[in-house]
């Protein structure tokens, strides 16, 4: 991918004391996002507020839409006009977004969505933490498609991973998600924003061939089709219907097969390039704790206590949640007695750990239904159980 | 060369504006949507507008298919979401003329909320709404525009809900240009679109069109010609009519014409003017 010169106007270089929500807005501005359409919802609103406050001095659009359906749809329009575009939301808004997340996937449109998760279902716990949308982000819109989702565990990572999310979204022409949570979103910590020339931002894969030959859905060697901007004279067509390389609707099983395989394979076959995780002391571990977001920080306390008690315990922190690092889990499953998976839901990513471990090692869920983080003692208990 | 061969080789005057590789279209014979597309193309030609700078966005439904046939940057979005899609597109590239071309179910039914808010913000887009009084693509169900007493597949004993009067709604929400025509008024539809191209802000044109296959058949109203005859006998041009008086009863009289033509700065102009006033030189203007 071509590197893009970062516009210093959007980069607030220096050390700051920011919450995760604000850091997401700063990450977006640093990445070159100049279009934000959103709808207020706790606990994500601060990102929208920060963007609205900052964008007049950078040059771009903040628009508060009538709902989350309109917000995501506007992003798709803006993205086809050549803008990097993002929105932010939480549970109920995320549910409303699903329809046009499917459209973005189908039209292969780069957009970024942050979900500051709260407890559900329905209105649930507007002000309190949850990690209950981890499967929704993967499967929420109808049909078969794949997306990319990242999970930051600190305000610093909210900044860093938002830039990453834009880079991945632009590279793979796919909706990309920042799956954070109320705790990280509202946690204030030091966030270091580097100078503009130290920030790595990739450029969209623009088409440069003859105008009449442009095909919006012809996969390139890396499987990703080239894009153009509306208004540049290509007079192209795109649709949410099953379509051919020209973007024209074709309603039959053959074309459906081609489109669905492509939407899935472009992520699956590039998964190793996309996936990032952080591992610690897994070499001789009997037990590996798999966690993400705020839960990984709580789990770390339990891991320290377990190590003090003499248990060989390693950690695997998911940074990329989707695609899931199944290859690595599979390798570890051959060596460990068990995985321990704490998450603030009633069992979601644990299903993936179980699937990847394929019976070689059990995955022990430490559930929490939301509203607060785990007590490290509960995770410790599971680690001790697993080490037996 | 004989006259016949020449005629065969002659180019269809609409060819430059349509995706000829997608013709024939899917619309039924007697349907009014094609007529409105012809007027739209005619307006594009007469306006001598740069076609590279015009985008068309449709939603879902019979009229939702228009974006697929017109050779512009064309987007066939989801049901009801053409207006927010167009909002993003217009704000993403402010130099474009963005046109939403969709049906009554799409714009006033499922997309009603987006319609009222885009009009309220005075988003700089032109919305052409083909109103055929029913959900035709799915088989003729009752719509937010179906007249009282009309028979629809999900109102099998007749409709008893009050319908929207779309020009009244658009006016109330602040549109800068509001007109209504029928499929019979092809020249006037063309002129209205041309006129709307010249204006800024949220512009709305409703075109009443026959749905022969479903609405007309179910209500035993005859074929396309019968419906055009009905338009001819029952439509009355009344420019500047009070938009509160534009209700359409079942097979009743239809007031058509241009009802609203007002000047009002659109969204981006409001944003730039306001921010300059509030922030002075520190403000970085957008899209000027």
């Amino acid at each position: 991918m071509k590197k893009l010169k970062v516009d210093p106007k959007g980069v607030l270089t220096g050390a700051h004391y920011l919450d995760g929500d604000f850091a997401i807005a700063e990450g977006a501005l640093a990445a070159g996002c100049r279009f934000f359409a959103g709808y207020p919802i706790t606990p994500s609103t601060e990102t929208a507020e920060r963007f609205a406050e900052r964008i007049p001095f950078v040059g771009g659009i903040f628009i508060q839409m009538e709902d989350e359906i309109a917000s995501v749809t506007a992003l798709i329009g803006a993205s086809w006009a050549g803008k990097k575009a993002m929105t932010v939301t939480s549970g109920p808004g995320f549910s409303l977004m699903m329809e046009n997340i499917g459209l973005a996937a189908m039209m292969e449109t780069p957009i970024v969505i942050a979900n500051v998760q709260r407890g559900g279902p329905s209105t649930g716990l507007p002000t309190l933490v949850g990690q209950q949308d981890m499967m929704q982000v993967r499967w929420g819109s109808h049909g078969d498609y794949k997306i990319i989702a990242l999970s930051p565990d600190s305000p610093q990572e909210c900044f860093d991973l938002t830039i990453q999310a834009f880079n991945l979204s632009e590279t793979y022409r796919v909706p990309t998600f920042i799956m954070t949570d109320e705790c990280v979103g509202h946690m204030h910590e030091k966030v270091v924003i580097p100078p503009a020339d130290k920030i790595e931002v990739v450029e969209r894969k623009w088409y440069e061939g003859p105008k009449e030959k442009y095909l919006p859905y012809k996969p390139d060697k890396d499987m990703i089709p080239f894009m153009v901007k509306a208004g540049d004279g290509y007079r192209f067509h795109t649709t949410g219907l099953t379509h051919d390389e020209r973007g024209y609707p074709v309603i039959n099983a053959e074309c459906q097969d081609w489109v669905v395989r492509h939407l899935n394979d472009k992520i699956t076959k590039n998964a190793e390039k996309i996936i990032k995780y952080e591992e610690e002391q897994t070499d001789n571990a009997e037990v590996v704790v798999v966690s993400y977001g705020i839960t990984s920080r709580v789990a770390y306390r339990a891991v320290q206590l377990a190590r003090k008690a003499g248990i060989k315990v390693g950690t695997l922190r998911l940074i990329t949640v989707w695609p899931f690092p199944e290859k690595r889990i599979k390798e570890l499953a051959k060596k460990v007695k068990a995985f321990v998976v704490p998450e603030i839901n009633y069992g979601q990513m644990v299903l993936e750990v179980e699937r990847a471990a394929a019976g070689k090692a059990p995955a022990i869920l430490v559930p929490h239904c939301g509203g607060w983080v785990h007590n490290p003692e509960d995770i410790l208990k599971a680690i001790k159980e697993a080490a037996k | 060369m004989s006259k016949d061969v020449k005629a065969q080789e002659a180019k269809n005057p609409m060819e430059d504006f349509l995706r000829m590789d997608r013709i024939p279209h899917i619309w039924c014979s007697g349907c009014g949507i094609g007529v409105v597309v012809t007027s739209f193309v005619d307006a594009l030609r007469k306006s001598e507008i740069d076609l590279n700078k015009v985008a068309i966005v449709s939603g879902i439904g019979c009229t939702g298919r228009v974006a697929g046939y017109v050779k512009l940057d064309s987007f066939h979005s989801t049901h009801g979401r053409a207006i927010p899609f167009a909002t993003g597109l217009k704000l993403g590239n402010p130099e474009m003329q963005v046109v939403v071309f969709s049906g009554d179910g799409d714009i006033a039914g499922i997309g009603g909320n987006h319609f009222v808010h885009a009009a309220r913000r005075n988003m700089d887009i032109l919305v052409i709404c083909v109103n055929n009084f029913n959900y035709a693509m799915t088989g003729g169900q009752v719509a937010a525009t179906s007249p009282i007493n009309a028979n629809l597949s999900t109102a099998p004993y007749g409709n008893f809900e009050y319908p929207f009067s779309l020009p009244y709604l658009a006016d109330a929400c602040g549109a800068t240009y509001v007109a209504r025509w029928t499929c019979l008024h092809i020249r006037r539809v063309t002129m209205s679109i041309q006129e709307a191209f010249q204006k800024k802000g949220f512009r709305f044109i409703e075109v009443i069109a026959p749905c022969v296959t479903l609405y007309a058949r179910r209500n035993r109203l005859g074929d396309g010609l019968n419906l055009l005859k009905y338009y001819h006998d029952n439509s009355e041009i009344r420019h500047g009519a009070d938009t509160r008086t534009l209700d359409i009863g079942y097979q009743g009289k239809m007031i058509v014409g241009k009802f609203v033509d007002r000047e009002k700065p659109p969204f981006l102009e409001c944003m730039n003017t306001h921010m300059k006033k509030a922030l002075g030189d520190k403000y970085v203007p957008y899209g000027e």
Side-chain angles (χ1 to χ4, degrees):
Chain A
M1 293 304 284
K2 251 194 224 161
K3 297 270 186 299
L4 196 66
K5 201 173 170 297
V6 171
D7 173 10
K9 278 203 301 294
V11 186
L12 215 61
T13 303
H16 307 269
Y17 188 57
L18 295 179
D19 74 5
D21 284 357
F22 275 13
I24 289 171
E26 289 303 333
L29 288 164
C33 172
R34 297 293 179 265
F35 186 94
F36 189 111
Y39 188 85
I41 186 165
T42 306
S44 74
T45 312
E46 292 88 335
T47 306
E49 289 172 341
R50 179 80 170 194
F51 203 94
E53 198 183 319
R54 291 262 287 121
I55 196 68
F57 307 102
V58 178
I61 291 284
F62 170 85
I63 181 166
Q64 187 167 309
M65 297 300 287
E66 52 274 18
D67 57 32
E68 289 87 348
I69 304 173
S71 302
V72 169
T73 317
L75 300 190
I76 304 172
S79 187
W80 277 105
K83 289 281 178 291
K84 287 188 183 177
M86 97 164 291
T87 189
V88 67
T89 191
S90 191
F94 203 49
S95 291
L96 282 183
M97 287 180 178
M98 287 302 147
E99 175 192 57
N100 292 286
I101 286 170
L103 182 66
M106 192 59 145
M107 284 185 169
E108 299 194 58
T109 311
I111 59 168
V112 172
I113 298 170
N115 179 352
V116 187
Q117 294 173 88
R118 64 195 227 186
S122 191
T123 315
L125 304 170
T127 56
L128 300 177
V129 67
Q131 291 182 316
Q132 299 171 332
D133 310 340
M134 302 308 292
M135 282 291 170
Q136 187 186 18
V137 68
R138 170 66 188 86
W139 303 102
S141 198
H142 56 277
D144 269 326
Y145 62 97
K146 283 200 167 81
I147 50 84
I148 298 173
L150 312 172
S151 179
D153 74 342
S154 66
Q156 180 68 54
E157 239 185 28
C158 283
F159 176 84
D160 297 338
L161 293 188
T162 300
I163 296 173
Q164 270 301 311
F166 274 99
N167 286 348
L168 290 165
S169 179
E170 296 286 324
T171 304
Y172 297 104
R173 276 185 69 172
V174 71
T176 299
F177 299 83
I178 300 147
M179 295 300 288
T180 185
D181 51 69
E182 185 275 333
C183 273
V184 174
H186 285 163
M187 174 195 291
H188 280 76
E189 277 184 345
K190 185 176 170 185
V191 175
V192 178
I193 299 179
D197 58 359
K198 294 279 184 289
I199 294 172
E200 211 166 278
V201 170
V202 302
E203 188 161 21
R204 197 173 289 182
K205 228 171 86 177
W206 299 115
Y207 175 76
E208 278 163 353
K211 280 204 166 131
E212 62 287 357
K213 293 229 167 104
Y214 176 62
L215 294 167
Y217 295 101
K218 186 179 175 358
D220 192 25
K221 275 170 265 159
D222 63 354
M223 302 187 73
I224 314 304
F226 288 96
M227 256 183 115
V228 295
K229 280 181 217 163
D232 279 358
Y234 292 90
R235 291 161 72 182
F236 61 94
H237 182 62
T238 176
T239 173
L241 286 167
T242 297
H243 48 261
D244 61 16
E245 290 183 340
R246 297 170 297 177
Y248 288 8
V250 179
I251 309 303
N252 63 36
E254 289 79 12
C255 192
Q256 170 74 356
D257 187 81
W258 178 75
V259 168
V260 171
R261 280 178 197 275
H262 170 70
L263 294 181
N264 286 275
D265 292 355
K266 70 173 181 179
I267 302 301
T268 311
K269 293 193 174 159
N270 286 303
E272 291 310 307
K273 280 188 250 170
I274 298 167
I275 290 169
K276 271 193 182 168
Y277 49 82
E278 202 175 69
E279 251 182 72
E280 207 194 271
Q281 297 186 34
T282 47
D283 282 353
N284 304 308
E286 300 171 294
V287 178
V288 168
V289 177
V290 180
S291 61
Y292 55 92
I294 188 63
T295 307
S296 60
R297 294 177 68 157
V298 180
Y300 197 70
R301 176 71 187 144
V303 168
Q304 284 175 324
L305 295 172
R307 283 176 187 157
K308 260 189 201 157
I311 302 171
K312 285 183 189 155
V313 51
T315 58
L316 190 148
R317 178 170 76 87
L318 304 173
I319 296 171
T320 314
V321 203
W322 301 108
F324 184 77
E326 53 186 72
K327 219 171 116 189
R328 186 59 189 145
I329 296 288
K330 206 173 174 176
E331 285 164 8
L332 289 169
K334 291 180 204 150
K335 304 195 290 185
V336 302
K337 283 188 185 163
F339 295 100
V340 169
V341 188
E343 44 185 347
I344 309 177
N345 56 49
Y346 209 48
Q348 296 197 10
M349 296 312 292
V350 69
L351 300 172
E352 277 298 287
V353 179
E354 227 168 61
R355 186 182 65 80
K360 296 273 189 283
I364 300 167
L365 168 70
V366 190
H368 191 304
C369 292
W372 195 230
V373 293
H374 289 79
N375 183 338
E377 292 295 333
D378 294 335
I379 303 171
L380 180 65
K381 217 162 86 186
I383 295 171
K384 283 181 175 165
E385 194 65 33
K388 269 186 195 162
Chain B
M1 205 184 279
S2 81
K3 235 181 171 177
D4 284 355
V5 175
K6 248 189 197 165
Q8 273 172 24
E9 284 182 353
K11 212 163 112 177
N12 182 317
M14 288 175 75
E15 262 182 41
D16 291 342
F17 300 84
L18 297 181
R19 298 188 189 279
M20 296 305 286
D21 49 354
R22 290 216 58 216
I23 305 293
H25 56 68
I26 65 161
W27 298 311
C28 308
S29 67
C31 169
I33 298 168
V35 176
V36 191
V37 174
T38 304
S39 289
F40 175 64
V41 165
D42 212 20
L44 283 174
R45 189 197 340 251
K46 287 181 174 148
S47 305
E48 294 176 0
I49 193 166
D50 179 0
L51 297 180
N52 292 341
K53 300 292 175 202
V54 187
I56 180 166
V57 185
S58 290
I60 299 296
C62 292
T63 314
R65 290 302 186 104
V66 170
Y69 298 121
V70 182
K71 205 164 144 195
L72 299 165
D73 286 336
S74 54
F75 302 91
H76 183 211
S77 67
T78 38
H79 196 21
R81 318 305 170 207
I83 287 176
F85 194 110
T87 296
L89 195 62
K90 174 69 192 179
L91 296 179
N93 185 353
E95 62 170 6
M96 292 200 89
Q97 175 74 255
V98 179
V99 181
V100 168
F101 208 127
S102 223
D104 52 301
D106 197 73
I107 283 171
I110 188 167
N113 195 33
H114 309 309
F115 178 83
V116 302
H117 283 280
R120 172 185 64 77
R121 293 185 185 105
N122 202 19
M123 194 51 63
D124 193 14
I125 56 177
L126 165 60
V127 177
I128 299 169
C129 177
V130 177
N131 180 1
N132 58 12
F133 302 135
N134 76 136
Y135 283 90
M137 185 65 98
T138 44
Q141 291 77 33
V142 69
T145 48
S146 303
I148 290 180
N149 289 327
N151 192 296
L152 288 312
S153 74
T154 47
Y157 311 110
N159 174 39
F160 52 84
E161 285 188 28
Y162 304 105
F164 266 139
S165 161
L166 298 181
Y168 181 32
L169 182 65
D171 181 17
C173 296
T176 55
Y177 183 95
V178 180
R180 173 198 275 162
W181 299 106
T182 76
C183 260
L184 188 68
H185 302 89
I186 44 173
R187 278 184 311 112
R188 295 185 190 268
V189 173
T190 304
M191 277 157 54
S192 246
I193 297 172
Q194 277 179 271
E195 201 171 32
F197 278 150
Q198 299 303 318
K199 284 192 65 77
K200 284 195 182 320
F202 189 86
R203 296 145 284 158
F204 179 70
I205 300 170
E206 176 187 26
V207 186
I208 310 287
C211 171
V212 172
T213 306
L214 296 156
Y215 184 81
R217 187 164 59 182
R218 205 172 170 99
N219 288 286
R220 302 178 195 281
L221 301 176
D223 60 15
L225 199 58
N226 293 108
L227 285 165
L228 291 184
K229 179 83 171 53
Y230 156 62
Y231 297 163
H232 177 267
D233 296 344
N234 291 279
S235 61
E236 183 191 323
I237 299 175
R238 213 188 288 162
H239 293 302
D242 186 334
T243 53
R244 288 173 297 182
T245 64
L246 303 177
D247 287 347
I248 300 174
Y250 178 65
Q251 289 299 92
K253 201 166 137 183
M254 288 181 289
I255 306 295
V256 297
K258 179 174 82 173
F259 310 121
V260 175
D261 189 347
R262 54 169 83 102
E263 295 302 318
K264 209 167 90 173
F267 177 90
L268 267 185
E269 203 178 312
C270 291
M271 181 180 98
N272 282 323
T273 310
H274 180 87
M275 291 296 190
K276 274 177 205 163
K277 219 191 281 173
L279 304 173
D281 291 346
K282 286 184 194 149
Y283 176 60
V284 180
Y286 179 82
E288 284 190 334

